Amino acid sequence: MKFFVDTAEIDAIAELHDLGMVDGVTTNPSLIMKSGRDILEVTKEICDLVDGPVSAEVVSLEADDMIAEGRKLAKIADNIAVKVPLTWAGLKTCKILSDEGHMVNVTLCFSANQALLAAKSGATFISPFIGRLDDINIDGMELIADIRDIYDNYGFETQILAASIRTVNHISDAAKIGADVITAPPGVIKKLADHPLTDAGLAAFMKDWAKTGQKIL
Ligand code: G3P
């Protein structure tokens, strides 16, 4: 499973990148707003840091404008994945840009039928939003499972990029189902290493080690 980091904060990306945990990055207009940075500048910096796909999202609602924005974003670097919303205009943009050889991430997916359309329009990634479905009492993980079944039934190569990840359980559940990628905030990825029994075990080892009076270095 690939790990993408869902942020436009360079320091947070760099910290996880140094640990080998970053296979790609996803951004969206809200994350660009939170970073306080210019979209073209910060996206270029992220692309310089990370080898894998870096999603940068268009903000127009009409296909012609989306296509123009997507082409401009794609010029930032070879590893840009143009992110488009799951609307008919977004799907048209996806088809045109993917035919031109660009990676496209179709975002704001909330149903299996939407995911089917994205695959047919040539999307590189489909981004189902797990947490936002859970927010309205619909099981986001069931959507990931349905998309996995549908894509496998027909051999679609579009990668399932589980997004709107809020908890560490979302990550292990998505991995069990076979999502190709998760994108999660840096804080959630860092929590994957936490376990109270690890902390308790380490504390006990340190206590006993102190009693030996020994040093390794
Ligand atoms: O990349 C978009 C997605 O991950 C958003 O997550 O937590 O705002 O629903 P969230």
Side-chain angles (χ1 to χ4, degrees):
M1 164 175 271
K2 287 178 240 172
F3 277 13
F4 288 2
V5 192
D6 200 27
T7 186
E9 305 291 340
I10 290 281
D11 290 350
I13 298 166
E15 184 186 357
L16 287 167
H17 183 259
D18 287 348
L19 296 166
M21 297 294 166
V22 179
D23 300 305
V25 173
T26 50
T27 65
N28 62 38
S30 302
L31 294 171
I32 295 294
M33 182 272 293
K34 276 187 204 156
S35 77
R37 300 284 312 276
D38 174 85
I39 183 171
L40 299 178
E41 283 175 18
V42 75
T43 306
K44 173 84 175 80
E45 278 179 41
I46 297 169
C47 289
D48 286 346
L49 178 66
V50 173
D51 291 334
V54 174
S55 290
E57 189 160 342
V58 300
V59 289
S60 290
L61 300 178
E62 302 300 327
D64 287 350
D65 297 329
M66 275 189 199
I67 293 162
E69 287 179 355
R71 286 181 180 140
K72 182 166 181 177
L73 292 170
K75 278 193 187 137
I76 294 172
D78 288 344
N79 55 335
I80 285 286
V82 178
K83 205 171 178 188
V84 301
L86 212 152
T87 59
W88 284 113
L91 292 168
K92 182 176 178 187
T93 304
C94 176
K95 171 77 177 125
I96 288 171
L97 294 183
S98 55
D99 281 353
E100 289 175 4
H102 301 298
M103 288 188 284
V104 181
N105 176 358
V106 180
T107 189
L108 290 167
C109 171
F110 295 95
S111 79
N113 281 331
Q114 289 181 317
L116 188 51
L117 292 176
K120 289 181 74 66
S121 66
T124 316
F125 302 104
I126 181 67
S127 290
F129 275 31
I130 298 173
R132 292 191 195 185
L133 282 169
D134 288 354
D135 286 344
I136 57 165
N137 215 18
I138 295 173
D139 186 351
M141 215 48 71
E142 262 182 37
L143 174 59
I144 302 291
D146 287 347
I147 299 171
R148 181 75 282 155
D149 282 347
I150 290 169
Y151 282 9
D152 289 350
N153 283 348
Y154 296 99
F156 286 120
E157 288 179 4
T158 300
Q159 296 179 52
I160 302 173
L161 196 173
S164 187
I165 294 264
R166 308 270 177 77
T167 69
V168 290
N169 286 347
H170 277 158
I171 296 178
S172 46
D173 288 346
K176 282 188 273 185
I177 290 166
D180 300 284
V181 191
I182 56 93
T183 189
V188 175
I189 292 176
K190 288 174 83 174
K191 274 195 193 139
L192 289 172
D194 293 351
H195 200 288
L197 292 180
T198 304
D199 296 340
L202 188 58
F205 286 158
M206 291 305 99
K207 201 172 163 194
D208 290 342
W209 180 248
K211 289 178 196 159
T212 70
Q214 298 180 46
K215 286 189 174 168
I216 295 175
L217 291 177

